[in-house]
């Protein structure tokens, strides 16, 4: 549940880089996504036809501040997004490094504090750093979105143990893996670890068949969540026979 809203699907899908509006529309439908993200820069390029696809999808729209490099720029973009899309949900991105697209933790917390005070429901794109996570929660965020790997890299979960630690450290906070996911198996792994959702874009939009890839990711996220809830067996250092030895007949 995110800010009191129980979403129908745990996949969050980006809307950039698709070969055509029709493929974007079909990919959203195939994915079963509960949320679709959109930046003001992308929306401005698509015009009315793009907005119609968003409305027809039936998904909750999560505008983002993609491309912002300062707190002030992100805050201004968030206000514009709220006016345009009629939602107080905002995915907050404040980029601090041009090559890795790593978020600037100082500007991120600054912007989050302002936006939360103004009534926004902030979804901050962050790293797996626990201290930054604590500061974002203190600022008013009720969701954290740690990266799996740099945006668009397809590297998957680069720091698995750090992400496990974050999940354990914030047991009651909704956590969404955001960025770096390149394969359905990576999304499933995140869900098996207990994360609440996965957000991705490039892995679907740039696939040879975006619609089928969107379907694959939707199924992977669902399967990972089911596996987590069912309870994965623990890893063992030694083999454990699945057939008991005691009570069996002894053939001489």
């Amino acid at each position: 549940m995110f800010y009191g809203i129980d979403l129908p699907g745990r996949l969050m899908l980006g809307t950039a880089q698709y070969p055509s509006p029709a493929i974007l529309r079909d990919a959203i439908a195939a994915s079963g996504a509960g949320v679709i993200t959109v930046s003001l820069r992308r929306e401005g390029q698509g015009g009315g036809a793009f907005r119609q696809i968003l409305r027809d999808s039936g998904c909750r729209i999560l505008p983002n501040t993609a491309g912002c490099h300062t707190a002030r720029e992100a805050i201004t973009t968030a206000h514009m997004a709220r006016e345009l899309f009629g939602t107080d949900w905002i995915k907050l991105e404040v980029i601090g490094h041009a090559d890795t697209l790593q978020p600037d933790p100082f500007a991120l917390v600054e912007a989050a504090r302002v936006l939360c005070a103004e009534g926004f429901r902030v979804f901050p794109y962050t790293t797996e750093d626990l201290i930054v996570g604590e500061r974002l929660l203190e600022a008013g965020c009720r969701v954290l979105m740690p990266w799996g790997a740099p945006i668009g890299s397809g590297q998957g979960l680069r720091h698995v143990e750090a992400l496990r630690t974050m999940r354990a450290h914030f047991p009651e906070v909704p956590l969404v893996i955001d960025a770096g996911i390149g394969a359905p198996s990576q999304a499933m792994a995140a869900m098996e670890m207990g994360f609440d959702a996965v957000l991705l874009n490039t892995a679907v939009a740039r696939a040879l068949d975006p619609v089928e890839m969107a379907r694959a990711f939707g199924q992977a996220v669902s399967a990972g969540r089911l596996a987590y809830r069912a309870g994965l067996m623990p890893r063992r250092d030694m083999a454990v026979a699945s057939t008991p030895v005691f009570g069996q007949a002894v053939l001489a």
Side-chain angles (χ1 to χ4, degrees), residues 225-241:
R225 180 64 179 179
L226 285 173
Y228 171 73
R229 293 186 62 184
L232 295 168
M233 66 172 289
R235 296 184 62 173
R236 302 185 176 101
D237 293 331
M238 301 292 291
V240 177

Side-chain angles (χ1 to χ4, degrees), residues 120-167:
F120 283 89
R121 304 295 186 257
V122 177
F123 292 69
Y125 164 61
T126 183
T127 65
E128 62 282 309
D129 188 286
L130 300 183
I131 305 304
V132 176
E134 293 280 8
R135 296 295 180 268
L136 288 167
L137 295 176
E138 291 170 2
C141 299
R142 296 294 174 262
V143 177
L144 298 175
M145 303 182 76
W147 65 349
I151 294 172
S153 69
Q155 296 177 21
L157 307 178
R158 288 208 308 180
H159 304 295
V160 172
E161 291 309 313
L163 290 170
R164 289 188 192 278
T165 299
M166 190 175 203
R167 176 69 283 180

Side-chain angles (χ1 to χ4, degrees), residues 48-176:
F50 179 67
R51 287 195 296 272
Q52 190 61 48
I53 291 174
L54 302 184
R55 286 193 293 267
D56 292 344
S57 72
C59 298
R60 192 172 187 97
I61 297 174
L62 177 62
N64 66 55
T65 62
C68 293
H69 292 265
T70 67
R72 182 176 181 179
E73 185 180 7
I75 292 167
T76 300
T77 302
H79 284 130
M80 295 170 61
R82 182 159 63 178
E83 289 293 322
L84 183 60
F85 294 105
T87 179
D88 56 9
W89 281 26
I90 191 74
K91 179 191 168 189
L92 180 60
E93 296 182 29
V94 186
I95 300 302
H97 193 277
D99 292 332
T100 65
L101 301 182
Q102 180 173 329
D104 179 336
F106 307 102
L108 181 66
V109 172
E110 177 187 350
R113 183 174 293 110
V114 172
L115 292 174
C116 288
E118 294 178 342
F120 283 89
R121 304 295 186 257
V122 177
F123 292 69
Y125 164 61
T126 183
T127 65
E128 62 282 309
D129 188 286
L130 300 183
I131 305 304
V132 176
E134 293 280 8
R135 296 295 180 268
L136 288 167
L137 295 176
E138 291 170 2
C141 299
R142 296 294 174 262
V143 177
L144 298 175
M145 303 182 76
W147 65 349
I151 294 172
S153 69
Q155 296 177 21
L157 307 178
R158 288 208 308 180
H159 304 295
V160 172
E161 291 309 313
L163 290 170
R164 289 188 192 278
T165 299
M166 190 175 203
R167 176 69 283 180
H169 189 73
F170 299 112
E172 304 301 324
V173 178
L175 299 181
V176 181

